[in-house]
């Protein structure tokens, strides 16, 4: 099911980028970031093949605290994901 999870994450990222209402967009970004942090920390899913996409998402929404935290988490784990 890693393909399904990756497709779900990609769809969530697209949804966040497409929302025009800033309040809803911020809310969705925060929820997605917390969800992804949980997946990364529990090693529930292998996201090596999505790291660049997720990091780009975090950079795009770097003004949001949870996105910055997710970016830092991914960077700190960069060496161990090889």
């Amino acid at each position: 099911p890693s393909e399904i999870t990756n497709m779900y994450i990609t769809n969530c990222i697209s949804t966040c980028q497409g929302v025009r209402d800033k309040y809803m967009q911020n809310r969705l970004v925060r929820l997605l970031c917390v969800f992804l942090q949980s997946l990364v920390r529990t090693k529930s899913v292998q996201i090596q093949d999505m790291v660049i996409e997720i990091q780009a998402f975090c950079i795009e929404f770097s003004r949001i605290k949870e996105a910055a935290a997710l970016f830092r988490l991914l960077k700190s784990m960069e060496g161990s994901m090889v």
Side-chain angles (χ1 to χ4, degrees), residues 6-73:
N6 290 352
M7 198 177 345
Y8 177 74
I9 292 169
T10 301
N11 188 30
C12 287
I13 288 173
S14 298
T15 301
C16 287
Q17 292 168 334
V19 172
R20 295 290 164 235
D21 178 18
K22 284 294 181 193
Y23 174 78
M24 274 306 291
Q25 186 182 53
N26 289 350
R27 187 169 183 267
L28 288 173
V29 169
R30 287 173 43 223
L31 286 170
L32 178 57
C33 288
V34 170
F35 173 66
L36 291 173
Q37 283 178 19
S38 174
L39 290 179
V40 170
R41 285 195 176 110
T42 60
K43 296 178 176 45
S44 299
V45 73
Q46 300 296 330
I47 60 162
Q48 290 93 335
D49 50 341
M50 295 205 61
V51 168
I52 294 173
E53 186 178 354
I54 294 171
Q55 285 180 343
F57 171 77
C58 290
I59 291 169
E60 181 180 350
F61 294 102
S62 61
R63 69 184 187 281
I64 298 172
K65 179 178 67 171
E66 289 81 0
L70 175 59
F71 185 80
R72 284 192 302 273
L73 176 64

